[in-house]
Amino acid sequence: MISNLFVLSPRGDTILSKIYRANPEVGAHERAHTEAFFRKVKFWDGMTISGAGTNDPAFAVDPAESEKSESGSKKKDAPPVFIMPDGLSYLHIKRNGLIFGCSTARNTSPCTVIELLSRIAKVFKDYCGTLSEESIRKNFILLYELLDEMVDYGYPQVTRTENLKAFVYNEPIVVTPVINTGNLINPKTASANAVHKPVIGSVTASGKSLNTNQKNEIFVDILERMNVLFSNNGYILNSTVDGCIQMKSYLQGNPELRLALNEELVIGKQTGTPKYGTVVLDDCNFNECVNLSEFEHGRILSFYPPDGEFVVLNYRVTGDIKTPFRVFPCIEETGPKTIEITCLIRNEVPENHFGANVLIELPLPKCTAGATCRLVSSPNVGGANAEYMAADKKIVWTMKKFPGATEQTMRVKVTLDKPCTSHIRREIGPINMTFEIPMFNVSNLQVRYLRIAQMPGYTPYRWVRYVTQSNSYVCRV
């Protein structure tokens, strides 16, 4: 199925590497192959590297191409699957800045290989607690043992954490996750330190066990990612919400859990207007461990939680969605070579909520000579800043905290190299917005309760968190 597997750092260093099928050409120049793969991913141009079949120029990047990629206006992301001049197909995924990749010489299903890489990354995170370059380097003996059990001769074998616990006995060395405090607005936006614990017994770097007085804890995250497209008048053209209920369990004894959702929950589109308080999901799918015997009449899910992180429920909502932010752009030509752009953003979430780490990008025409920004901010706005990025020809507007029920306005004066035409105006935009709203969800899906079934006196710590994020939040100009 696959010939080799490797994990690369953000700098391109090989952290883990394992060869399953001997290839004389690859064996002699394994490092050259991974370096060529990393350069191709880093400086993707949408074309294959020239020089296949010659004495290793397949692994040399054209300097002009690299220069163009580094100084070019826009870099493209490499697709998850592509063919290199060595004749192998390379597949990869990115997790926390790390690249999990593999190569194959056979006509293998890309979806199967991508799923295998995702499972490997998930198992690594479950065993190490946090997925980072440091945690992999300190636990490479454990991770190589995991790879031996998960993949044999290039074929997947055991890929579930709870099944691997019967074969792998090494204890992980816990690495404290590094938290970027500059991006934290509220503790609600950050995950708890307990989430980064391994799912099995662990030791510190000095060899001290961490199993003493371990709490019974379970974490529940209701995550929703929004895809919204606005017209230049601020009207919603398309809107969807992709959500999931994700859990991570540290419960001893693996007890049965009962998770209750909204009583007025409807699955599938209904004719007519739903009554007030009804939560409508277009479609959903459940984890294989979920028992749905009580779901139809009580909206209760019962299951035995597997080890590690797992998704209980995936769901999708489309149609009439109340968006948390509305974007209203306005363009005015104030002179032959000057344009004034006004961008008003209205936060329509309740006052007790706020948008965190808000980022707005406004692309400008290629002939832009310069731009100045002025902000009209409401009170209690944290860390608002707008800047013209001359290299990328765009405006970047950031706000660390955007309070609910407020408006923010940015005015940009753009100076062009040549007179403005309709073609130049079409180069403005679209406006792209990214954000995170803690303890808020658009679909109104709620967890009524989370209980332990048939175990009196068992009182674990239960943590429930709601997070709404932007996946594609775009406004035409």
Side-chain angles (χ1 to χ4, degrees):
M1 184 173 173
I2 63 175
S3 302
N4 68 329
L5 187 144
F6 50 86
V7 180
L8 303 182
S9 72
R11 302 179 305 279
D13 300 331
T14 302
I15 309 175
L16 292 181
S17 178
K18 197 166 182 63
I19 299 177
Y20 296 103
R21 300 176 187 274
N23 187 331
E25 297 179 3
V26 176
H29 307 286
E30 179 190 353
R31 183 175 179 182
H33 281 253
T34 55
E35 286 180 355
F37 163 80
F38 179 76
R39 287 199 297 267
K40 191 63 177 173
V41 172
K42 188 76 172 177
F43 307 111
W44 178 258
D45 60 351
M47 300 171 61
T48 56
I49 302 177
S50 60
T54 58
N55 291 336
D56 247 30
F59 308 112
V61 176
D62 185 4
E65 173 193 330
S66 178
E67 234 176 79
K68 180 180 177 183
S69 300
E70 290 179 356
S71 60
S73 56
K74 292 184 180 179
K75 295 179 182 177
K76 297 180 180 179
D77 292 332
V81 184
F82 56 84
I83 300 177
M84 292 282 284
D86 56 6
L88 300 178
S89 298
Y90 284 79
L91 305 94
H92 75 282
I93 61 172
K94 294 181 180 180
R95 295 289 186 273
N96 291 7
L98 304 175
I99 298 178
F100 289 75
C102 67
S103 64
T104 177
R106 303 190 178 189
N107 187 18
T108 307
S109 168
C111 295
T112 304
V113 179
I114 294 296
E115 178 64 21
L116 172 62
L117 294 176
S118 300
R119 290 288 184 95
I120 291 174
K122 177 185 177 299
V123 169
F124 282 9
K125 185 176 187 300
D126 288 342
Y127 270 81
C128 296
T130 179
L131 192 60
S132 65
E133 181 179 354
E134 184 185 4
S135 65
I136 291 179
R137 290 190 186 278
K138 287 191 175 182
N139 292 283
F140 73 94
I141 296 178
L142 168 65
L143 300 185
Y144 271 118
E145 187 178 356
L146 286 170
L147 285 178
D148 288 339
E149 299 294 343
M150 297 180 70
V151 184
D152 186 19
Y153 198 59
Y155 290 94
Q157 301 298 318
V158 182
T159 59
R160 299 185 63 178
T161 305
E162 56 266 29
N163 295 337
L164 287 167
K165 290 175 69 175
F167 307 108
V168 178
Y169 298 101
N170 272 320
E171 292 185 340
I173 298 174
V174 175
V175 175
T176 304
V178 179
I179 300 177
N180 185 3
T181 56
N183 292 332
L184 299 185
I185 306 302
N186 189 296
K188 297 176 182 177
T189 64
S191 56
N193 290 334
V195 178
H196 301 291
K197 293 187 302 184
V199 296
I200 63 173
S202 55
V203 296
T204 62
S206 60
K208 184 179 179 181
S209 175
L210 293 180
N211 288 335
T212 57
N213 300 326
Q214 183 170 332
K215 295 180 181 178
N216 285 323
E217 295 177 300
I218 186 163
F219 298 85
V220 183
D221 284 343
I222 294 87
L223 307 176
E224 294 188 347
R225 295 175 174 86
M226 302 194 65
N227 302 277
V228 182
L229 176 62
F230 294 97
S231 68
N232 55 0
N233 297 323
Y235 293 104
I236 300 174
L237 300 178
N238 185 27
S239 60
T240 60
V241 174
D242 295 316
C244 69
I245 299 179
Q246 184 173 293
M247 301 183 69
K248 191 167 186 178
S249 173
Y250 295 100
L251 300 179
Q252 297 180 1
N254 195 26
E256 183 182 8
L257 299 181
R258 292 169 58 85
L259 180 70
L261 304 177
N262 307 58
E263 293 181 345
E264 301 296 333
L265 178 62
V266 177
I267 308 297
K269 287 289 186 182
Q270 305 291 321
T271 57
T273 304
K275 63 180 182 179
Y276 180 78
T278 301
V279 177
V280 180
L281 307 180
D282 284 25
D283 56 74
C284 63
N285 60 74
F286 302 90
N287 191 293
E288 58 186 11
C289 68
V290 176
N291 183 355
L292 300 175
S293 59
E294 299 181 71
F295 184 72
E296 286 298 326
H297 64 274
R299 298 308 185 198
I300 298 174
L301 307 175
S302 58
F303 54 91
Y304 292 92
D307 294 322
E309 289 184 351
F310 66 101
V311 176
V312 180
L313 167 69
N314 286 300
Y315 60 91
R316 182 179 175 87
V317 181
T318 61
D320 189 14
I321 298 173
K322 186 176 181 181
T323 56
F325 298 97
R326 299 292 293 271
V327 184
F328 301 94
C330 178
I331 302 177
E332 181 181 357
E333 295 183 26
T334 56
K337 295 184 180 181
T338 57
I339 300 174
E340 184 169 326
I341 305 173
T342 303
C343 180
L344 184 146
I345 300 180
R346 181 184 302 156
N347 190 343
E348 297 190 341
V349 303
E351 295 182 3
N352 57 333
H353 295 281
F354 62 89
N357 304 323
V358 180
L359 172 68
I360 300 100
E361 293 183 341
L362 172 60
L364 298 179
K366 296 178 182 178
C367 61
T368 300
T372 58
C373 309
R374 185 168 65 90
L375 299 179
V376 182
S377 299
S378 300
N380 301 324
V381 177
N385 181 53
E387 184 180 359
Y388 169 60
M389 312 297 290
D392 298 325
K393 301 293 184 184
K394 66 180 180 181
I395 301 293
V396 177
W397 181 13
T398 58
M399 287 175 282
K400 287 189 176 181
K401 183 177 181 180
F402 191 167
T406 60
E407 294 181 352
Q408 312 297 326
T409 304
M410 176 181 65
R411 290 187 173 89
V412 182
K413 291 185 178 180
V414 182
T415 304
L416 306 175
D417 289 335
K418 51 188 177 181
C420 183
T421 62
S422 59
H423 176 72
I424 292 177
R425 285 195 57 160
R426 283 196 294 269
E427 294 181 3
I428 302 175
I431 298 173
N432 182 47
M433 186 174 182
T434 60
F435 57 84
E436 180 181 88
I437 308 176
M439 300 310 295
F440 176 83
N441 65 337
V442 178
S443 66
N444 293 322
L445 183 68
Q446 303 287 325
V447 174
R448 281 190 289 139
Y449 61 79
L450 175 63
R451 296 174 181 169
I452 308 296
Q454 300 177 354
M455 292 189 69
Y458 196 101
T459 56
Y461 293 91
R462 289 160 284 198
W463 310 95
V464 180
R465 181 180 65 162
Y466 298 86
V467 179
T468 298
Q469 297 174 331
S470 61
N471 187 39
S472 175
Y473 212 83
V474 178
C475 178
R476 294 175 179 171
V477 178

